[in-house]
């Protein structure tokens, strides 16, 4: 029976809990979701929003990516909680370090994908996760990056220059009504990366509530360009429902107390 895909819809995939081991001795909680009946065509490593304001591997957009993209687009989705971050999946060891020691977390996720022989590795950061992506994502096996609601709070001009010199694809999805960086300013600031593609998303806000489908379509366009878009809104086959009520009191990615660098 054909059913509409909703926010809590979980499509078939091979899902397995994983543990990432960092170079500074921490164990991080994660999950890898793979296509059920075929090898993945690409790999999405998710770097979540600010954990001090509710960001986690289970933030809604990344949950939906793991629920849908293995089945709809053949994309492997690797999610994890950075150091000190908790979600229903568990709590990662360590403490939040304002984007400093988190460099080890990013490296551990990429290393896991490499050891698992996952293809075409891309980093997809959201809010705080975009800063981790820009600062620490230039690993040799990373083919490109997608940035969702990039605030450019922790990233430096040197980070942008490094991506410019790499020539690797950089795509920034910038909500029209973002609280921290809107499309006009984003075009100016990302001009430092000549190959950067800045996409203003009309009507969207920083948290992507109500606009998840547009974000997942754009991620798929970059990681799996042969997949027809927009992604299907219905599914003819087995489908489970996740209990989203456990996240009701968890927000994502507020930067009200984080100073913006000059």
């Amino acid at each position: 029976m054909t059913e509409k895909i909703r926010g809590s819809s979980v499509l078939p995939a091979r899902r397995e809990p994983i543990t990432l081991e960092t170079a500074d001795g921490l164990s991080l909680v994660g999950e890898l979701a793979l296509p059920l009946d075929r090898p993945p065509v690409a790999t999405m490593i998710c770097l979540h929003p600010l954990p001090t304001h509710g960001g986690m591997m289970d933030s809604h957009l990344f949950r939906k990516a793991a629920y849908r993209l293995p089945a709809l687009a053949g994309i492997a989705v690797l999610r994890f909680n950075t150091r000190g971050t908790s979600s229903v999946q568990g709590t990662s060891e360590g403490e939040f370090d304002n984007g400093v020691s988190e460099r080890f977390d990013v490296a551990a996720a990429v290393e896991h994908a490499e050891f698992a022989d996952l293809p075409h590795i891309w980093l997809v950061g959201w809010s705080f996760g975009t800063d981790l992506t820009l600062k620490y994502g230039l690993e040799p096996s990373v083919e490109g990056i997608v940035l969702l609601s990039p605030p450019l709070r922790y990233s430096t001009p040197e980070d942008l220059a490094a991506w410019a010199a790499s020539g690797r694809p950089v795509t920034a999805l910038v909500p029209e009504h973002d609280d921290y960086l809107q499309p006009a300013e984003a075009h100016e600031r990302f001009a430092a990366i000549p190959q950067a593609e800045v996409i203003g998303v009309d009507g969207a806000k920083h948290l992507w509530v109500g606009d998840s489908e547009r974000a997942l379509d754009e991620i798929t366009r970059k990681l799996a360009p042969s997949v027809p878009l927009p992604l299907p809104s219905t599914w003819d086959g087995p489908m489970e429902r996740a209990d989203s009520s456990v996240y009701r009191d968890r927000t994502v990615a507020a930067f009200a107390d984080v100073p913006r660098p000059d």
Side-chain angles (χ1 to χ4, degrees), residues 62-131:
F62 287 160
R63 289 203 316 272
K64 292 168 185 172
Y67 291 168
R68 303 180 195 178
L69 294 187
L72 296 181
I75 295 173
V77 180
L78 191 162
R79 300 180 291 150
F80 69 101
N81 285 328
T82 56
R83 58 190 56 218
T85 301
S86 296
S87 74
V88 171
Q89 311 291 338
T91 300
S92 291
E93 294 179 351
E95 297 180 356
F96 175 67
D97 195 30
N98 287 291
V100 179
S101 297
E102 282 82 1
R103 67 183 183 276
F104 298 119
D105 305 352
V106 176
V110 174
E111 184 177 73
H112 187 95
E114 293 170 347
F115 285 171
D117 290 325
L118 296 175
H120 303 298
I121 299 170
W122 284 64
L123 301 184
V124 180
W126 178 8
S127 193
F128 171 71
T130 66
D131 284 306

Side-chain angles (χ1 to χ4, degrees), residues 30-240:
E31 182 202 74
L32 178 62
L34 298 164
L36 188 63
D37 54 1
R38 52 180 165 154
V41 299
T43 303
M44 169 182 174
I45 296 178
C46 304
L47 298 176
H48 61 68
L50 194 66
T52 54
H53 291 71
M56 55 181 169
M57 63 180 282
D58 292 328
S59 292
H60 81 95
L61 189 53
F62 287 160
R63 289 203 316 272
K64 292 168 185 172
Y67 291 168
R68 303 180 195 178
L69 294 187
L72 296 181
I75 295 173
V77 180
L78 191 162
R79 300 180 291 150
F80 69 101
N81 285 328
T82 56
R83 58 190 56 218
T85 301
S86 296
S87 74
V88 171
Q89 311 291 338
T91 300
S92 291
E93 294 179 351
E95 297 180 356
F96 175 67
D97 195 30
N98 287 291
V100 179
S101 297
E102 282 82 1
R103 67 183 183 276
F104 298 119
D105 305 352
V106 176
V110 174
E111 184 177 73
H112 187 95
E114 293 170 347
F115 285 171
D117 290 325
L118 296 175
H120 303 298
I121 299 170
W122 284 64
L123 301 184
V124 180
W126 178 8
S127 193
F128 171 71
T130 66
D131 284 306
L132 297 186
T133 299
L134 288 166
K135 292 183 73 65
Y136 309 125
L138 269 175
E139 296 280 349
S141 62
V142 172
E143 295 188 5
I145 59 176
V146 177
L147 309 173
L148 306 169
S149 305
L152 294 178
R153 289 297 181 91
Y154 294 88
S155 305
T156 66
E158 290 76 18
D159 297 323
L160 301 184
W163 280 97
S166 78
R168 297 186 214 179
V170 174
T171 297
L173 302 182
V174 183
E176 178 186 11
H177 304 299
D178 196 276
D179 300 302
Y180 309 106
L181 185 72
Q182 295 183 354
E185 184 183 359
H187 279 284
E188 293 178 5
R189 299 190 68 185
F190 278 103
I193 307 176
Q195 75 273 23
E197 178 185 19
V198 177
I199 301 173
V201 182
D202 293 345
K205 297 182 179 180
H206 189 78
L207 303 185
W208 293 94
V209 174
D211 290 289
S212 300
E213 286 71 24
R214 174 67 191 276
L216 295 180
D217 280 353
E218 290 295 340
I219 291 167
T220 300
R221 180 175 68 88
K222 299 304 295 185
L223 275 66
S226 64
V227 174
L229 296 176
L231 292 171
S233 60
T234 59
W235 179 256
D236 185 9
M239 180 165 58
E240 299 178 1

